[in-house]
Structures are given as C-alpha cells and as structure tokens.
Amino acid sequence: MEQVAELLKKIVPEVVKEVENRYTILQNIYFNQPIGRRALAEIISWSERPLRNEIKKLEEQGLIEIEQKGMKVSGEGEDVISRLENFIFYLKGLNPVAQSVMEKFHCQHVIIVPGDSDQDEAIKKQLGKEAARNLISFLKNRDIVAVTGGTTMAQIPRSMTPASGFEDVIVVPGRGGLGERVELQSNTIAAELAEKLGAQYRLLYVPDNLGADAMESVVNEPGIKEVIATIRQASILLHGIGGAEEMARRRGLSEEEVGEILKKGAVAEAFGFYFNKEGMIVHTTTSVGLSIKDLKNIRTVIAIAGGASKAPAIQAFLRYHHPTVLITDEGAARRLLEIEGGIESE
C-alpha cells in the first residue's frame, strides 16, 4: 500500500489532494452527524461553494445521505472511511515519521492519526477511536484498566462499539477529579468505558488539588483506601499528556503558583508531576491515585496526545517515560521531530 501511495503522489498529485479532501469531509460528517453544510464549512474552514460541489459528488456516489436534520454518512460511506484510514496514513508519508518517533523515544508502538487536532476537532475523536482499538487489542479478562480525564480521553468510550467477554475487567479512574466539566472527569470516563466493555467499575470521589493535611485524612477513609489500592493494581493505563500551563490552570492553581511552575522550566504535566524539556520533574502537586512512579509496574501504558502545540509536552514526557503505545496525530508528530532535530516536516 505504501508503494501504491508513493506512485500516486508522483503520477497524479492532484488526485491525491482530492482524496485527502473528500476523506476529511467524510470523517467530519461521520463524527458530527447529522450536520448541516454551513456548520461543516465552519468546522473544516472551507467556503460553502466548493464544499457544496464536493457534497454533491459524495451524495451521488452514495457515500452520504442528506436529510432534513442534516447530512450523515451512509453504510457504504462508513466502509470507505474505514478502508481509507490506512491508505491516508501512507499517502501522507507518515510511516517514516512513526518509525522515527519510535526509535528516538524508545516506544514499542507509535500510531499517528493524519491531521492536526489543533486545527480539526474531528482528529481528537479519531485519537479516541485509535485508543479504544488498542485497548481492546491488549485487554485480557481480569485486567484492571485505569483512565485519566481530559477532552481527548473523553472520546475513547464515545468512539467504541459495545464489547462483550470482559465481565471480570474493572475500570477505574487513574486520578482524582480536577473540578472541571463532569463529562471530562476521569470518573465519568471510567464509568462510560466500563459500560461499553460490559465491565465493572470503581469510582474515586476525591478532588485532586486538596491540601496535604486534607488529602492525608481523606485517603485513609476505608472506602477511598480500597479504591486507591485497586487503582494501584492497574495492568493497563490510558492517559493524556498535558501542557504545564494548561494543566496548572485546570488544577485551579493561583497565578503566582502557575508563574512559579513555569519559572522552573515546566512544559509538561502528567499525574500531578511537572516536567521540564529534558524530562526532569521540577514540581509536584498533592494528588491521589496513580503516581508517575507506578508506571513501571503497569503492563501496558497507552499515552494519547495530539496537536502541534502539544509537541513540547509530549517530548518532555517521553524523555522521562517510554509508554508501550504512543497515539498522536500528524501535527504533533511532525512538530515533535522538528524540535527533536529529526526529519523535517513536509
């Protein structure tokens, strides 16, 4: 498939661009259906006139259906999207990019989704879909699955079709809550993921930014203590990687505290730990659940983060820890290699 993609790029580059455009349109309709043409134009930053022409062609080919509520992808269209995913990966020359990231950061597997989630929200949904697919491939009965919170992580259960055979699996939040929107919290994501897997779940009703004294008191409560013990037995972890400033603000830290963390050179955050660009821990916050030190005891660690703006944070974290699987997008991967001194972005 890689050779076919390279040949097409040389012989008919204009066709390649057309394939990429139609794939983007189909993908965005699929993830936002039913959706109107004007809303779609805003999402993918197209003017309505050329988009109207492409939509007409896709409808004539039977790949989309237009109803009163808006457009949706047909069954045949879903099949085309699925078949195109791997082809677009090679068409965009992402195989050598994935290999370079894998070699430079010693990850066992690197999966790159075409596109940049900074520019296209549908890419976050595709990242969630890939994370769900990988979870199923690694999952064994009796596993304990821990999951953290965030916008990309929330897409994991939403992208899954209901599974069976995992009745003895337990899904848990990897961390306490950050006090953000309930649908983005690890408790919510854990419960939704368990429902899709037909698995059990345990929830952790502890904020992640309590003072040290309050935290010590809470974690010694019998019910909380039992859940934390279960979390620390996790065999699979799905987690995001955050930018230091973004995560400090999400944790509700004061402007003074945010400034102090950034002065220390922090660019990335995970599990309440802040890392500088060399991958050294420069700041730690009080938190409950999994610690960065627990990663070495977890069989399968799946890290998910995308967007070119996240590249410095991804780089910093990967210098500290090498996950089993890194799932990222084209924007982040190409930028990551640029700042690491690797291959140039096309």
Side-chain angles (χ1 to χ4, degrees), residues 32-54:
N32 296 284
Q33 59 190 350
I35 184 171
R37 191 175 62 234
R38 184 173 298 175
L40 179 62
E42 289 178 5
I43 288 173
I44 64 176
S45 301
W46 276 40
S47 59
E48 282 196 62
R49 190 170 183 176
L51 181 58
R52 188 186 304 119
N53 294 333
E54 292 298 324

Side-chain angles (χ1 to χ4, degrees), residues 182-232:
V182 66
E183 66 269 24
L184 305 181
Q185 292 183 16
S186 54
N187 269 341
T188 304
I189 297 168
E192 290 177 352
L193 185 57
E195 184 179 0
K196 286 294 182 73
L197 291 171
Q200 306 169 49
Y201 63 88
R202 307 282 187 274
L203 301 182
L204 182 63
Y205 296 107
V206 180
D208 209 21
N209 53 359
L210 289 176
D213 291 341
M215 183 72 77
E216 185 177 355
S217 174
V218 169
V219 299
N220 284 315
E221 289 291 324
I224 299 295
K225 202 170 184 178
E226 184 180 344
V227 175
I228 292 172
T230 302
I231 290 170
R232 289 192 171 143

Side-chain angles (χ1 to χ4, degrees), residues 84-96:
L84 272 178
E85 283 177 4
N86 205 31
F87 184 65
I88 295 292
F89 174 84
Y90 289 112
L91 204 59
K92 289 200 163 192
L94 293 178
N95 192 43

Side-chain angles (χ1 to χ4, degrees), residues 308-321:
S309 63
K310 278 276 185 77
I314 296 170
Q315 179 192 46
F317 181 78
L318 293 182
R319 284 179 171 172
Y320 179 87
H321 178 75

Side-chain angles (χ1 to χ4, degrees), residues 60 64 146 168 184 205 296 300 345:
E60 289 171 351
I64 64 171
D168 293 329
L184 305 181
Y205 296 107
K296 65 180 183 296
T300 303
S345 173

Side-chain angles (χ1 to χ4, degrees), residues 152-188:
T152 303
M153 304 303 295
Q155 299 301 331
I156 298 174
R158 295 174 191 172
S159 70
M160 290 181 69
T161 53
S164 60
F166 299 114
E167 295 81 6
D168 293 329
V169 167
I170 301 175
V171 185
V172 293
R175 312 289 307 151
L178 289 181
E180 54 195 349
R181 299 203 320 264
V182 66
E183 66 269 24
L184 305 181
Q185 292 183 16
S186 54
N187 269 341
T188 304

